[in-house]
Amino acid sequence: MDNNERYIISVGIPVYNVGKYIQKCILSVLNQTFAGAFEIIVVDDQSPDNSIDIVKELQDLHPKGNRIKIFMQPNNMGCWAARNKVLQEAKGKYLFFLDADDYIAPDALEKLYKYAEAYDAEAVYGSVFSVNEKGEHISFSQGDMKLPLKVLIGKDKLASFANLNTHPTLYNFIWNVLLRKDFISKNNLQFKETRFADDILFETDMQPLIEKAVLIPDETYFYVIREGSLSNFQKRQHIERSEIEQYFHVYTYIKEQVRELKSKQYYETRCVKVMKYMFFIVCGAIHNHDKIAPKLTNTMIRDAMKHPVGFSELIRFKRYKAVNIGFWLIGALPPVVSVFIIKAIGRWKHLI
C-alpha cells in the first residue's frame, strides 16, 4: 500500500494472553472481502505468552501482512488503555474494535462500510452471534442480539430506540460497531480506566451523542464465550470480591449517568433499565456468593441497588413509576431486608 493512500477503516485489537485465539482473529480481518484500504492496529499490552509472535508471523507471511501495525504498551495497563492507544494511532476514516479472542464474518467490513457510506452514519451496528471455543452456537444474553434493519437519523433517535422499553433492544458493547473517527474526536470520547467493561462505559457515554446510526440484521461478529472468562462465572470455582466490586463500580457509573438524561423523552425508561442492569449484577453476585472471597456484605449489596433519582422526583414519573419506586425502596431499606427482597425476586425470576 502506498504510504500516501488513506486508510478507510482502522481495526483495533488489544492483545494480552490470547495465543490460542489471535491467529483466527487476525486472519478473519486479513481475509475480508472489503476491497478498500484498511489497517489492523494491534496493541500489545505486554502479553506474557506467544500472542505477538503469532501476529508478527502473520505480518511477515500473509499477503496483506503489511496492513498490521503493532504498538507495545510500556507496561500491562489494561484493555481500556490499549483501546485508547487505538484511538490515538488510528488513521482510518472509520474505527472498528475487535476483541482478540473473537472473530468477524468474511464480509463484515464490506457490509458495515456500505451502510455507513450510504447514510453518512456515525455508527453502524451489526448483529452478534455467540459461540463456544469450538465455534458452536451458545446462547448468551446480548451476545445473540439479532438487530432489525433500521436507519436512525436525528437527535436522540438511536438512544430512544435503545431505551424503547425495559427489554434489551441494542447491545451496549463497543465491538461490532463501525464508528466514524471524526465523531469520536469531535466528542472527545475516551475509554475510562477500569479493570473491565470499559467498552460498556464508552458506549454509555457515546450512545446519547449519536445522531446518525444504522442497525443491520447481518451477523458480522462472532463472540466467543471462553471457559473461565470474566463473563462466565458459572465455570469458575473462585471469584475475587474486588472483581464484583468493580462490576458494582461500573454499573454505578451507568446509574449516575442517567441523571444527565433528564431532559430526554426516554429518561424514565432509562432509569428502569439501568436499575435492571444492576439488579442482574447483584443477583449474579448472590448466586455465586459461596465462590466470592472475601464475602460480600449485605450493606454492599444494598448500596449497589441505590436508585440514582430521588423519591420526590420518582413519584412524578409518567412511565414505569411503580417499578422505579420499587427499585428505590430496595436501595433505601435496611440491608438485611433489602437483600431478603432481592433474593425473593431473584428466585422468582430464576436469576438466583
Side-chain angles (χ1 to χ4, degrees), residues 68-333:
I68 302 172
K69 299 177 180 179
I70 301 172
F71 297 90
M72 182 179 288
Q73 297 288 71
N75 48 66
N76 177 233
M77 300 172 69
C79 193
W80 69 275
R83 285 176 168 147
N84 279 336
K85 184 67 173 176
V86 172
L87 293 180
Q88 178 184 333
E89 299 294 343
K91 300 297 190 292
K93 178 181 179 181
Y94 296 97
L95 279 170
F96 184 88
F97 285 98
L98 171 59
D99 282 359
D101 48 358
D102 301 331
Y103 53 97
I104 56 177
D107 57 357
L109 298 184
E110 180 182 355
K111 285 182 175 177
L112 295 168
Y113 174 73
K114 178 183 75 172
Y115 284 100
E117 288 290 290
Y119 295 97
D120 190 31
E122 295 161 335
V124 182
Y125 292 74
S127 293
V128 179
F129 192 73
S130 57
V131 295
N132 61 20
E133 295 184 34
K134 297 177 182 178
E136 301 164 337
H137 176 249
I138 180 170
S139 181
F140 182 71
S141 184
Q142 293 185 67
D144 275 328
M145 187 169 286
K146 185 82 167 179
L147 299 174
L149 179 59
K150 209 162 190 67
V151 179
L152 298 162
I153 306 295
K155 190 173 183 180
D156 297 328
K157 292 293 186 181
L158 176 70
S160 294
F161 173 81
N163 296 285
L164 196 61
N165 51 52
T166 62
H167 303 292
T169 50
L170 183 68
Y171 55 83
N172 56 4
F173 308 120
I174 196 63
W175 35 256
N176 201 29
V177 187
L178 190 67
L179 296 166
R180 219 169 61 208
K181 188 163 186 289
D182 61 357
F183 164 78
I184 301 294
S185 302
K186 178 181 70 176
N187 290 287
N188 298 309
L189 290 167
Q190 290 277 309
F191 290 90
K192 291 179 169 59
E193 182 174 356
T194 178
R195 182 179 169 189
F196 44 79
D198 56 288
D199 55 340
I200 296 176
L201 293 177
F202 189 94
E203 170 68 11
T204 297
D205 290 337
M206 179 182 76
Q207 191 185 91
L209 302 173
I210 294 174
E211 297 185 9
K212 298 178 182 178
V214 182
L215 318 181
I216 66 173
D218 307 70
E219 290 164 341
T220 49
Y221 194 100
F222 293 88
Y223 176 54
V224 179
I225 310 297
R226 295 163 55 184
E227 287 195 15
S229 69
L230 288 174
S231 59
N232 197 5
F233 286 147
Q234 306 309 318
K235 299 291 185 180
R236 295 162 59 186
Q237 299 305 312
H238 177 76
I239 303 168
E240 293 287 341
R241 188 173 80 179
S242 61
E243 187 176 324
I244 303 301
E245 289 174 326
Q246 182 70 58
Y247 272 111
F248 286 176
H249 173 74
V250 166
Y251 283 89
T252 294
Y253 175 87
I254 294 171
K255 282 195 306 175
E256 292 174 349
Q257 189 257 11
V258 81
R259 291 197 290 254
E260 300 175 17
L261 306 173
K262 190 173 180 178
S263 64
K264 307 298 184 182
Q265 64 181 30
Y266 56 84
Y267 172 61
E268 295 172 7
T269 306
R270 180 66 178 170
C271 284
V272 176
K273 293 192 84 164
V274 298
M275 290 307 299
K276 281 183 67 175
Y277 294 157
M278 184 61 92
F279 187 78
F280 291 148
I281 295 297
V282 165
C283 285
I286 293 173
H287 182 72
N288 291 280
H289 182 263
D290 292 339
K291 300 178 183 179
I292 301 170
K295 300 298 183 186
L296 289 168
T297 66
N298 286 341
T299 300
M300 293 171 68
I301 294 170
R302 189 279 310 272
D303 288 351
M305 287 302 300
K306 286 188 178 296
H307 203 290
V309 176
F311 184 79
S312 59
E313 183 180 345
L314 290 176
I315 60 174
R316 296 195 297 270
F317 273 22
K318 304 298 183 186
R319 301 192 70 198
Y320 303 112
K321 180 193 295 187
V323 182
N324 271 300
I325 290 175
F327 278 129
W328 183 90
L329 285 170
I330 290 173
L333 289 167

